[in-house]
Amino acid sequence: MGVFTYDYESTSSVAPVRLFKAFTIEAAKVWPTAAPNAVKSVEVEANPSSGSIVKITFVEGLPFQYMKHQIGGHDENNFSYSYDLIEGGPLGDKLEKISYENKFEAAADGGSICKSSMKFYTVGDNVITEDEIKALIKGSEGVYKPVEAYLLANPESCN
């Protein structure tokens, strides 16, 4: 097994607290509403806390039917969270899991700087390329961008 790390940063005009809530605490409600062309449902095993399993079911026609995440932890004071993608989605037979550490930091304009660190755990001698990682990030924007647009259009959501 190999481990490949990739760091990614993006900006948003949405405040960190709202993005944090939309991607953690309120994801089950927000994602299917904000991204109905991508997300059919988000089911949380219990409350979204450390160790819980989250199943995301995608609409028909997308490359993946579902993904399962195991929550590592949430830090509401620092707007950070971690989880492992443990089943479904882009794992296929090449990846054992993908670990994510995400943090939303305040930007000078009132928006956010979104910092992500990803660790790709490959099966056997498989290697994941930077192009494959960029394709996965682009695919995740199918949820991220609609959630961001939803928050901008609904200022009362995730406050």
Side-chain angles (χ1 to χ4, degrees):
M1 167 178 38
V3 180
F4 300 87
T5 301
Y6 190 82
D7 293 326
Y8 177 74
E9 200 171 287
S10 64
T11 59
S12 173
S13 54
V14 178
V17 65
R18 295 184 68 216
L19 284 172
F20 174 80
K21 286 181 180 179
F23 283 97
T24 58
I25 300 163
E26 297 185 35
K29 178 177 75 173
V30 171
W31 289 20
T33 302
N37 295 331
V39 179
K40 183 176 181 180
S41 65
V42 177
E43 303 165 54
V44 182
E45 180 182 83
N47 62 354
S49 60
S50 184
S52 293
I53 303 295
V54 178
K55 181 180 181 184
I56 302 150
T57 303
F58 297 103
V59 298
E60 283 188 42
L62 292 182
F64 312 119
Q65 291 182 309
Y66 75 96
M67 292 190 303
K68 284 189 180 179
H69 294 167
Q70 182 169 28
I71 298 172
H74 295 146
D75 183 341
E76 292 184 51
N77 295 320
N78 290 308
F79 311 123
S80 63
Y81 64 103
S82 62
Y83 65 93
D84 292 334
L85 171 57
I86 57 170
E87 187 179 317
L91 295 180
D93 57 1
K94 190 173 187 175
L95 295 168
E96 178 184 320
K97 71 177 180 176
I98 305 171
S99 295
Y100 296 84
E101 291 184 20
N102 301 302
K103 183 174 177 137
F104 299 107
E105 296 180 352
D109 64 0
S112 302
I113 300 168
C114 309
K115 296 182 177 184
S116 295
S117 180
M118 297 163 267
K119 289 185 181 174
F120 297 84
Y121 295 82
T122 60
V123 174
D125 293 334
N126 285 307
V127 174
I128 188 161
T129 67
E130 187 169 351
D131 286 342
E132 290 171 313
I133 293 170
K134 287 179 179 179
L136 291 174
I137 290 169
K138 185 174 181 171
S140 69
E141 288 177 349
V143 174
Y144 183 86
K145 292 296 182 186
V147 167
E148 180 183 39
Y150 173 81
L151 293 173
L152 289 169
N154 296 278
E156 73 290 346
S157 183
C158 298
N159 282 316

